[in-house]
Amino acid sequence: MDWTGVFPAELPDAIRGMETQGSTRLNSRKRRKEGVGPNGATETDGIPLKVPRNCLGLREPAPFSDELEVDYSKPYIRVTYEEALRGTPLDRPVRVYADGIFDLFHSGHARALMQAKSLFPNTYLIVGVCSDELTHNFKGFTVMNENERYDAVQHCRYVDEVVRNAPWTLSPEFLAEHRIDFVAHDDIPYSSAGSDDVYRHIKEAGMFAPTQRTEGISTSDIITRIVRDYDVYARRNLQRGYTAKELNVSFINEKKYHLQERVDKVKKRVKDVEEKSKEFVQKVEEKSIDLIQKWEEKSREFIGNFLEMFGPEGALKHMLKEGKGRMLQAISPKQSPSSSPTHERSPSPSFRWPFTARTPPSSPASLSRNKSTITYDISEDEED
């Protein structure tokens, strides 16, 4: 297919670069500033090449091998490992085969297929999936049936072709039929079907390409988690509407799970109430602390104002002193000046005793003091 005019001119180089999917191609770039950079980097740092925005994307699942037309008229010559590493033409990719059970397809499976796809610059990955019959006979019961496992592998982005009902042991006829150059699998000996390593003859033929297992994840680990937490998952599915018969749960266990579910709900409510009460108490404590602080401020202000008014040197004492001085000044008589002339007191009018014509007896002093007056009165009577 001619890509001219559809994508930019640099896209073929990008396509050739994309053939090494998952490979760690790094571009060294010198830092602008010398010395230690971010994250402890010093002089140079490896920066991965960016994928162009208009890159190709998968829109359909990988096809099955029995649905493809193969031209067997052309002879197929295997490539050597060195030729595969150097890179092959676009019309002659290196055909790599990887097989497995792929039950409960997880990231460990995807990473293994990614490594198989990234073994060579130009790789066409064929994945074989064993049927339920072979798997149950040689390995054990599976969680997913063969159709589900086929479908899971089909939708992995690194897979170009899927072989259904793949053989347990690879024969020369099978390798020739699918024109396989290399077989990818982890290097740990896989003992099964009465053999210490089912890939021994592949390794001896120089067709084995090792990959690395992803630690911490496997189908057995996932099943172990489910078995370990069986009660939790059984209760969850009962709550979601599954019947006890579908879950293969007895009547007694069903009632026990329902009771546990109710107890957990009550515990959750109690926990929620406790959390809300803690929040309420915390808010009350914060409010009380604020109130206490405000009360202390107001009390200090009140005490200061009280002392300022009623203290030993308060304003009230000064007010009383000033008022007392004004009162004393108001009630005290004014002293006459010493240079003012003296006036004799006028005699008081005479007082007569009632019912008598005579005046009361007087003291000698009064008699002598009023003698002249009496004489004057008598002389006036004589004139009359």
Side-chain angles (χ1 to χ4, degrees):
M1 183 176 181
D2 188 10
W3 300 97
T4 306
V6 179
F7 297 103
E10 64 272 10
L11 186 59
D13 294 333
I15 294 175
R16 284 194 292 271
M18 288 171 59
E19 292 164 3
T20 60
Q21 296 181 21
S23 62
T24 57
R25 299 175 302 155
L26 299 178
N27 179 24
S28 297
R29 184 181 67 182
K30 196 169 184 179
R31 289 193 173 274
R32 296 178 183 177
K33 294 183 180 180
E34 305 213 348
V36 178
N39 301 325
T42 53
E43 296 180 355
T44 58
D45 58 342
I47 299 176
L49 293 176
K50 294 183 178 180
V51 179
R53 186 177 294 275
N54 54 354
C55 61
L56 299 177
L58 299 178
R59 298 179 181 271
E60 298 292 336
F64 294 114
S65 59
D66 52 5
E67 297 175 349
L68 297 176
E69 294 183 0
V70 181
D71 186 8
Y72 292 101
S73 62
K74 296 181 180 179
Y76 187 82
I77 301 174
R78 286 188 59 250
V79 296
T80 63
Y81 195 78
E82 291 75 13
E83 292 175 345
L85 287 177
R86 284 197 302 266
T88 58
L90 290 177
D91 58 350
R92 175 56 176 92
V94 180
R95 295 173 68 86
V96 177
Y97 177 81
D99 58 357
I101 309 301
F102 301 106
D103 191 20
L104 297 176
F105 193 88
H106 51 74
S107 62
H109 296 142
R111 288 177 178 272
L113 298 179
M114 179 187 68
Q115 294 179 54
K117 181 70 175 179
S118 305
L119 285 172
F120 308 108
N122 184 15
T123 304
Y124 183 85
L125 182 59
I126 307 168
V127 180
V129 183
C130 299
S131 62
D132 287 344
E133 183 180 359
L134 284 176
T135 306
H136 297 168
N137 290 334
F138 291 105
K139 190 170 184 178
F141 191 74
T142 58
V143 178
M144 302 170 64
N145 58 44
E146 57 185 21
N147 293 324
E148 293 171 338
R149 293 185 284 113
Y150 297 155
D151 188 67
V153 175
Q154 264 190 300
H155 289 83
C156 180
R157 63 181 298 180
Y158 311 111
V159 179
D160 297 306
E161 182 180 333
V162 178
V163 177
R164 291 182 286 192
N165 193 15
W168 198 261
T169 304
L170 301 179
S171 62
E173 294 77 15
F174 179 83
L175 297 175
E177 178 186 358
H178 294 278
R179 302 189 173 192
I180 296 171
D181 294 314
F182 297 97
V183 177
H185 200 273
D186 60 81
D187 202 12
I188 301 174
Y190 193 85
S191 59
S192 179
S195 175
D196 295 338
D197 189 1
V198 296
Y199 297 102
R200 178 179 295 176
H201 63 289
I202 303 295
K203 296 176 181 178
E204 293 174 353
M207 299 176 61
F208 188 80
T211 58
Q212 298 294 326
R213 291 178 63 89
T214 303
E215 297 295 334
I217 183 67
S218 66
T219 302
S220 299
D221 293 338
I222 296 174
I223 294 175
T224 301
R225 297 179 199 173
I226 297 173
V227 173
R228 181 188 59 197
D229 301 328
Y230 169 77
D231 291 344
V232 177
Y233 295 120
R235 287 166 51 189
R236 183 190 67 174
N237 287 353
L238 284 173
Q239 186 180 3
R240 291 184 177 182
Y242 288 88
T243 63
K245 185 177 180 180
E246 292 174 336
L247 297 173
N248 196 22
V249 174
S250 64
F251 177 79
I252 296 175
N253 287 335
E254 180 185 6
K255 298 303 178 184
K256 182 183 72 172
Y257 293 149
H258 285 304
L259 180 60
Q260 290 176 351
E261 190 69 27
R262 293 176 183 176
V263 172
D264 290 344
K265 288 182 180 179
V266 172
K267 288 182 179 179
K268 185 178 180 181
R269 290 178 183 175
V270 172
K271 187 176 180 180
D272 294 340
V273 171
E274 288 180 355
E275 292 178 355
K276 291 181 180 179
S277 62
K278 288 180 181 179
E279 293 178 359
F280 177 75
V281 171
Q282 186 176 0
K283 291 181 180 179
V284 170
E285 289 179 354
E286 293 176 357
K287 292 291 184 181
S288 62
I289 292 173
D290 294 340
L291 291 174
I292 290 172
Q293 291 178 352
K294 292 180 180 179
W295 182 83
E296 289 178 351
E297 294 176 359
K298 293 295 182 181
S299 62
R300 284 194 291 268
E301 183 179 357
F302 176 77
I303 291 171
N305 294 335
F306 183 84
L307 293 176
E308 185 178 355
M309 178 62 69
F310 301 100
E313 299 297 330
L316 182 62
K317 185 175 181 180
H318 293 289
M319 291 172 61
L320 293 176
K321 285 182 179 179
E322 292 179 359
K324 183 178 179 181
R326 291 175 181 175
M327 290 176 64
L328 292 176
Q329 184 178 2
I331 63 177
S332 60
K334 295 183 178 180
Q335 295 181 358
S336 58
S338 57
S339 60
S340 60
T342 58
H343 297 278
E344 292 182 358
R345 181 178 295 179
S346 59
S348 59
S350 60
F351 178 77
R352 293 181 182 273
W353 290 91
F355 310 108
T356 59
R358 299 170 57 185
T359 59
S362 301
S363 60
S366 61
L367 290 175
S368 61
R369 187 171 54 247
N370 297 327
K371 184 176 180 180
S372 59
T373 306
I374 296 171
T375 305
Y376 178 76
D377 293 337
I378 293 172
S379 62
E380 285 180 359
D381 291 339
E382 288 177 353
E383 288 179 1
D384 292 336

